Amino acid sequence: SGPARIVSLSQNPHRRNLTLGQGQGNGQPTKYDVRLRTTDTSDNGKPSLSTPAGTVVTELTHVVYTRNSAGVARVYVDSVEVASKAIGGDLWNWATDYRLVLANEMTQDRPWLGELHLVAIYNRASKSEEVMQNREVGPETAGHFGPKAQSTLTGTPMMAAEESRDILPRVSVNVGYLSVMVVVGLVLAKKEIG
């Protein structure tokens, strides 16, 4: 059990450095759940930070998780802060052999059904103004992510991928802060009647 993995830097369902997932709320996949491994959380990144039930919608959405050097973690959905809490510790205990996986777990047992338009992990925390600027760069018309859209966050991304579901190279972080920016389009399974 556990959230469907949208972005995961992990070894298996129980050992991770970072995961942005889609979790259950009132029996429906309606919230985002972020697990971050620090020296104060478990090897599974618990306790996690979850958004309220009803946060996940079936349209193109800009989701940002950020944690600053003071340990304050925040989740923004379409540039609105929807969840925050203090997550103590440092990231020096991150495993360097974990792989970055999109839309599932390495074990292929936590699939996420949706579309990834952009994934980027930065080695510094985004400010709320930067989150808003990046959202404004996003969808240009009718829910389509613009081909010329690019991040306004300064600095070099530690990792970036566009429109891919492949396992990506290793990512290492040796600081206590980061930002994860994801543009997702949720696809819900349709039931046939009859």
Side-chain angles (χ1 to χ4, degrees):
S1 69
R5 306 317 196 234
I6 299 171
V7 178
S8 191
L9 181 57
S10 57
Q11 180 183 51
N12 60 45
H14 309 289
R15 298 182 64 82
R16 76 198 60 266
N17 291 334
L18 171 72
T19 293
L20 168 63
Q22 182 182 324
Q24 300 290 317
N26 300 326
Q28 299 294 317
T30 64
K31 65 181 180 177
Y32 295 104
D33 186 69
V34 183
R35 296 178 183 180
L36 178 69
R37 179 180 177 181
T38 73
T39 54
D40 287 358
T41 62
S42 72
D43 286 348
N44 198 13
K46 290 184 177 182
S48 63
L49 173 59
S50 294
T51 64
T55 306
V56 174
V57 295
T58 57
E59 55 194 50
L60 199 60
T61 306
H62 184 251
V63 181
V64 175
Y65 170 80
T66 185
R67 179 179 180 265
N68 66 24
S69 58
V72 178
R74 293 180 171 89
V75 178
Y76 298 87
V77 175
D78 289 333
S79 64
V80 175
E81 184 179 320
V82 295
S84 68
K85 77 175 187 178
I87 299 178
D90 294 313
L91 306 183
W92 65 261
N93 64 336
W94 274 27
T96 59
D97 60 340
Y98 289 1
R99 303 289 266 186
L100 185 66
V101 184
L102 304 178
N104 209 331
E105 189 62 73
M106 287 292 294
T107 53
Q108 300 295 307
D109 58 350
R110 300 292 193 277
W112 176 73
L113 183 59
E115 298 173 351
L116 290 169
H117 293 258
L118 173 74
V119 174
I121 300 175
Y122 292 87
N123 62 354
R124 70 176 192 80
S126 298
K127 297 175 184 170
S128 60
E129 299 81 23
E130 294 170 322
V131 171
M132 185 174 294
Q133 287 172 348
N134 280 300
R135 170 64 181 113
E136 289 172 2
V137 169
E140 290 182 348
T141 58
H144 296 287
F145 192 74
K148 296 188 185 234
Q150 52 186 309
S151 170
T152 60
L153 185 59
T154 59
T156 304
M158 295 168 43
M159 184 288 306
E162 293 188 35
E163 299 184 13
S164 173
R165 290 182 184 255
D166 297 332
I167 296 171
L168 298 172
R170 293 184 178 111
V171 174
S172 64
V173 173
N174 57 7
V175 294
Y177 41 86
L178 73 150
S179 290
V180 179
M181 179 173 56
V182 181
V183 178
V184 298
L186 180 65
V187 178
L188 294 179
K190 295 180 181 177
K191 291 184 177 180
E192 298 220 6
I193 299 175

